[in-house]
Amino acid sequence: MTTDAQFIAGLPKAELHLHIEGSLEPELMFALARRNRITLPFASVEAVRAAYAFSNLQDFLDIYYQGAGVLLTEQDFHDLAMAYFRRVSADGCRHVELFFDPQTHTDRGLPFSVAIDGLLAGMAEAQASLGITSKLILCFLRHLDEDAAFATLKAATPYLGQIAGVGLDSSELGHPPSKFARVYREARARGLKLVAHAGEEGPPEYVWEALDVLGVDRIDHGNRALEDQGLITRLAGSGMTLTVCPLSNLKLCVVDDLKAHPLKRMLDLGIHATINSDDPAYFGGYLGENWTQTAKALKLSRAELVTLARNSFAGSFLTPAEVATHLAAIDAYAVANP
Ligand code: ADE
Ligand code: ZN
C-alpha cells in the first residue's frame, strides 16, 4: 500500500489556478534583480521570506506587485515559467492553466509583448522538455477600471489565438464582477473562455454576479459560496468547477486552520472542486504540497483524491478528447494503486 503522499505524487493532476507572477521564489527574485541591476528593499532571501506574513489579500498583493518589478525581459518571464514548470512537473502535474497579469507589467512601462512572448516561450519549452501542456489566461486587475481592462484586451488582439481565456484578480472587496460586465461580453464575443476570482474574500453576491452577469465558465476560489444555499444548489446542479486554493486560504486568513477548510464540504455537497496553489512562492507550497497537506488535514479518502484529480481535468479548457485521455489515465492509476 502506498502512502497518501506517494499516491498523490503519481496521480495525474492539472493545476487550474496559478498566477505565474506568484511563483517568483525569493532566490529568483534576487537573481533577476542582480541581472537587471535593480536594488531590492530586502537584504536577503531570508528577509524576503520573513516579510511573507499576511493577514488578508491586500497585505499579500502589496508585496506581490512589488516583487514583480524585477521582471523586465522576455528571458525573465521565460525563466520564471520554466522554474515553475520544473517544480510542478515533479509533483505529477500534467497540465496547467496559468494566469498572468499584463497590467502589472504594462503599467510600469513594459510593452505588452514582453511578458506574453516570454511566457509562451516557456510554455512551449515545458511541453517539449517536460511533457506538460499549458494554456494561458489573461487576468484583468479589478482594482483598475473597466476602460483599462478594455485597453488590455485590445493590446492582446494579436495574441488571441494563444490565449485561452480571461480572468479577474487583485483586490476583490469593493470591486464586484459586474464592474467588468462589458469587457467580459467583448471577450466572450472574441471566443475566449471566462473565469473570475469570486468569493475568496468577497460575499456570495459576487459569485452570483460572476455566474449571471459575467457568465463565467469557472469560479476561482468560491469559498464564500457555501454561505448561500441557493448558490450551493446552483453550483452543484450546473457542474460548475471551483478552483480552490487551500494553502493560499490559510496564508491569507480566509480559513483559520486547514482542518476547517471547506473543500471536503464542497465535495460532499456535489460541487466540482479542485485543488490548486494560487501563488506558491508566497503561500508555502506548490501543487503537491496543497494536495498532501489538504488530504491529511481533511482526512480525504483515496476515492475523494481521485475525484479531485478527475475534476481538475474535467474542469479544464482541454478538448473533450484530451480530457477523456487524462481521465482514463487517472482511472488506470487508481486501479493499479488501490
Ligand atoms: N492575484 C494573485 N493572487 C491572487 C489572489 N489569491 N486573489 C486575487 N488576486 C490575486
Ligand atoms: Zn488567485
Side-chain angles (χ1 to χ4, degrees):
M1 182 86 167
T2 52
T3 65
D4 274 356
Q6 289 166 335
F7 181 80
I8 287 167
L11 187 61
K13 299 176 284 297
E15 170 137 82
L16 304 180
H17 186 154
L18 177 276
H19 302 263
I20 195 64
E21 294 92 344
S23 71
L24 178 61
E25 290 288 346
E27 288 81 1
L28 184 57
M29 193 187 290
F30 268 88
L32 295 181
R34 219 172 299 123
R35 185 155 99 187
N36 293 327
R37 300 183 206 293
I38 291 169
T39 306
L40 288 172
F42 297 102
S44 64
V45 161
E46 292 69 33
V48 177
R49 287 223 161 81
Y52 292 175
F54 315 115
S55 48
N56 56 40
L57 174 60
Q58 194 59 49
D59 272 1
F60 154 69
L61 290 169
D62 292 341
I63 205 160
Y64 160 86
Y65 293 130
Q66 186 181 48
V70 300
L71 297 159
L72 289 191
T73 66
E74 277 181 44
Q75 188 68 46
D76 297 342
F77 285 93
H78 164 276
D79 294 353
L80 175 70
M82 277 308 293
Y84 164 74
F85 283 122
R86 264 187 236 107
R87 179 65 193 72
V88 85
S89 173
D91 286 349
C93 182
R94 306 283 177 86
H95 176 70
V96 182
E97 301 192 348
L98 60 147
F99 299 129
F100 80 120
D101 288 338
Q103 289 157 294
T104 299
H105 314 302
T106 53
D107 283 4
R108 55 192 175 85
L110 297 193
F112 182 86
S113 59
V114 170
I116 193 164
D117 283 341
L119 293 175
L120 290 169
M123 292 163 66
E125 186 177 331
Q127 179 154 8
S129 64
L130 300 167
I132 293 195
T133 57
S134 57
K135 292 183 185 289
L136 196 55
I137 298 176
L138 179 162
C139 278
F140 302 123
L141 297 181
R142 69 198 305 158
H143 66 272
L144 302 178
D145 63 24
E146 194 183 33
D147 284 347
F150 266 112
T152 303
L153 187 59
K154 184 162 178 238
T157 303
Y159 292 94
L160 288 189
Q162 291 152 286
I163 294 173
V166 298
L168 189 62
D169 66 1
S170 193
S171 321
E172 186 181 10
L173 289 170
H175 302 286
S178 52
K179 179 177 164 186
F180 296 90
R182 292 178 316 130
V183 77
Y184 266 66
R185 204 177 313 129
E186 178 69 24
R188 177 177 293 287
R190 295 193 187 197
L192 294 165
K193 296 285 190 186
L194 310 177
V195 303
H197 284 53
E200 180 184 18
E201 287 187 341
E205 290 71 34
Y206 285 20
V207 182
W208 281 114
E209 283 191 9
L211 296 172
D212 290 338
V213 180
L214 302 186
V216 294
D217 298 291
R218 245 174 12 216
I219 295 282
D220 297 314
H221 294 292
N223 300 44
R224 292 196 57 193
L226 297 194
E227 295 171 21
D228 181 329
Q229 184 53 51
L231 196 45
I232 292 170
T233 305
R234 167 73 177 274
L235 292 170
S238 61
M240 178 61 58
T241 297
L242 264 52
T243 65
V244 180
C245 306
L247 291 180
S248 161
N249 294 156
L250 190 61
K251 266 292 215 186
L252 299 186
C253 306
V254 169
V255 297
D256 296 333
D257 184 336
L258 219 45
K259 289 196 174 88
H261 195 281
L263 182 86
K264 184 166 163 50
R265 223 183 121 222
M266 289 174 178
L267 294 179
D268 291 345
L269 290 164
I271 291 173
H272 292 200
T274 60
I275 294 181
N276 308 272
S277 70
D278 208 5
D279 301 281
Y282 292 86
F283 299 151
Y286 284 76
L287 188 62
E289 274 297 312
N290 272 273
W291 275 73
T292 50
Q293 290 195 35
T294 307
K296 184 162 179 240
L298 298 180
K299 298 187 171 48
L300 298 178
S301 67
R302 293 280 165 105
E304 286 168 327
L305 296 174
V306 168
T307 296
L308 285 160
R310 292 178 62 88
N311 288 353
S312 74
F313 290 103
S316 76
F317 297 141
L318 291 166
T319 65
E322 289 166 337
V323 170
T325 301
H326 286 292
L327 296 184
I330 291 169
D331 292 345
Y333 179 82
V335 168
N337 297 275

